[in-house]
């Protein structure tokens, strides 16, 4: 029998964003989002969870150094000290925590494998976070 | 296809409590609960998780400002700097972390909707917490 | 030459309290303290700092196991799961964070030595704390 | 004899900023500041420390509810979900953590009193912070 | 109807370890594990989750003082200030976070009961953790 | 007038150590240090504080990217996933938290400048830390 475990690694990046639905007037955006329409930013924390069988020899579910490298190159380098609204991945999308989680999932799924990627958790700050599990 | 996500918001309040089963003698309470029978208190942390489809236009699963308002009015205002044993919701109930989680669930479910409320997590302190998912 | 360092050890206890000046009427207490007059409580965190020369052989400023034992016996055992207003040390004193810091200083100074005890920091919660350095 | 203590209260706000010296060319700014020139943001944490004698009757160094109100109105309302570069207080000043600390000091000193305000600590993130004590 | 809840208690211990597959040469170990082959260590955090019906009288899912005693005696006493590679439970097993979680599960399952033990989470540090749920 | 500020940057590394005075017998070491004589380890956190005037143009006390590079190269690369007792800097020295702070000070002082380096704080774990200010 093979044991199955989940491993999670935490990453951080600081980015800017503002909430704006392009199809809405300034007044509509203001009414819906209030001060979220003003350019501001956050120290985002991202927890990437992978899940699978543990290798009996190495005792590892996945090489976490590889996980670190993949997420650093794919996510952290792209979004750290970036203006999320200027990133093509957020074209036509409000950069809410929900959408950030989905965008990160979509960036990582091809590299980590859908059978292994289990969850993306994004914290906008220590009191507010979103979980996305790919559906 | 609509994406589904969970959003969690963290709240805190400080309250007093003591463990006491009214039907028991002082000796029985003391034997079961030890120093928990003495009036003391905690900085409670409550994580409220809601779950549902993400609105394609706003990119939001729920208006988290509304979530903040509802929980602040319903839970934090009631229990912050309160003596839990004196609250009618704990009449005949020991204010354990488990019961606090259930009471908070019961307060929030009618306001947030059972189809949306996913989990209440209550921390008595950073080393001890309870999850309740409504059943 | 002897190197000097400060060592700090962190302790926690959960206690109940309420703000009340005995010489004041209920109305005066209510006006000054608001909901702080209601019995509630906190998970207190106490940082005890000692300062002195480092022993050249052991590389230690103080035996921190001894520090742990002294503070656990003198402070944590006394105040954990206690009602601070019922403790004789708070007779005629409002158990504010400031007074808790002074009371802990006065309990520890004879055991740790005034020449070594450098600071007591008491957190009422992670957003509010008091430093007392003995004067 | 009157006991003296320091009390610290923690505040948070999320803001956007970018590093830019107006007198420099884009190339010079880029060379000096790298990706810090791109609009991004942070969850800032601000610790405001006041120091003074403890009132013998109330056991309080300062009414911390008043401290909370003053800092919330003066600092948090102004900078939360704001673009720091657009605030007149940062005209001609790079909104570094150092300058944010000084600006907050200058906002609070007239309201809290220079004899009482002891230190402003600003965290840009949990790994980077600045202390300013008014000189 | 009986309410069901999960309760989690957090524990910590500091231990040493190094990664080494006994059947591999030094070069193979070095290639697979890099600096993980050097004796080093961590402050491990272990979250033990138990799940079950809440007792209607006491309001408790489990006596958490008993949980504390069992985990302290079975896990913390054994692994705190220990060299994991020297423990017979890790004979022929690399002391990865995954294997530490499984070993702790196997130690606790007979004492807490498989029907009650729900999850072991082990943090190697605040940025890296593993969940094991017994299969 | 030039404003002066302190800037602190936090670093982490995981290392192994054991307490042993070479001149003592095993029994003497055991009596003095107990289980600290067994090879174990910690996730160390190091806060490096520099202090000085703020540059009026850049608004920076020091280029914190340079601070990060210097400490990473000088301290983190050397001690992360290392056995402190095997490092020549700890020859004849017990790798206590106090001595680790002094060793880090001595490594950084020539690179950062004694007039600028203000304090080294080393946490062995979140409940235990040492401050060293160079004397």
């Amino acid at each position: 029998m093979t044991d199955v475990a989940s491993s999670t690694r935490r990453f951080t990046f600081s980015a800017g964003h503002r909430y704006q639905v392009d199809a809405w007037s300034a007044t509509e955006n203001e009414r819906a989002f209030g001060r979220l329409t003003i350019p501001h930013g956050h120290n985002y924390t991202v927890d990437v969870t992978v899940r699978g069988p543990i290798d009996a020899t190495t005792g590892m579910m996945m090489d976490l150094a590889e996980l670190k490298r993949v997420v650093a190159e794919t996510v952290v380098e792209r979004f750290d000290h970036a203006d999320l609204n200027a990133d093509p991945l957020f074209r036509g999308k409000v950069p809410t925590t929900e959408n950030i989680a989905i965008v990160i999932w979509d960036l990582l799924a091809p590299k980590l494998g859908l059978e292994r990627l289990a969850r993306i958790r994004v914290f906008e700050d220590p009191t507010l976070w979103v979980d996305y599990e790919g559906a």
Side-chain angles (χ1 to χ4, degrees), chain A:
Chain A
M1 198 200 71
T2 313
D3 279 305
V4 168
S6 299
S7 296
T8 302
R9 190 145 204 163
R10 175 161 287 191
F11 299 85
T12 56
F13 62 85
S14 297
H17 76 158
R18 66 181 189 287
Y19 280 23
Q20 181 183 302
V21 171
D22 295 340
W24 290 357
S25 68
T27 310
E28 286 170 308
N29 275 292
E30 169 71 20
R31 191 166 44 218
F33 298 132
R35 287 181 75 157
L36 297 170
T37 58
I38 300 170
H40 63 283
H42 299 286
N43 306 324
Y44 289 96
T45 296
V46 180
D47 293 345
V48 177
T49 301
V50 288
R51 181 170 171 80
I54 301 173
D55 182 281
T57 304
T58 64
M60 294 162 75
M61 189 253 120
M62 179 184 174
D63 180 346
L64 291 176
E66 185 204 336
L67 176 61
K68 189 177 191 177
R69 191 185 50 74
V70 167
V71 182
E73 285 176 15
T74 313
V75 175
V76 179
E77 297 239 330
R78 180 172 196 136
F79 295 136
D80 192 32
H81 288 87
D83 176 0
L84 298 182
N85 296 72
D87 188 299
L89 290 173
F90 289 101
R91 190 163 299 144
K93 265 188 202 164
V94 186
T96 58
T97 317
E98 291 89 331
N99 277 338
I100 295 170
I102 295 174
V103 159
I104 291 174
W105 177 279
D106 290 344
L107 282 169
L108 290 177
K111 309 221 164 176
L112 297 174
L114 268 174
E115 74 292 352
R116 204 161 51 166
L117 184 56
R119 193 171 71 181
I120 299 295
R121 173 172 286 185
V122 179
F123 292 79
E124 189 180 276
D125 69 42
T127 70
L128 193 50
W129 63 94
V130 164
D131 291 331
Y132 180 67
E133 300 182 352

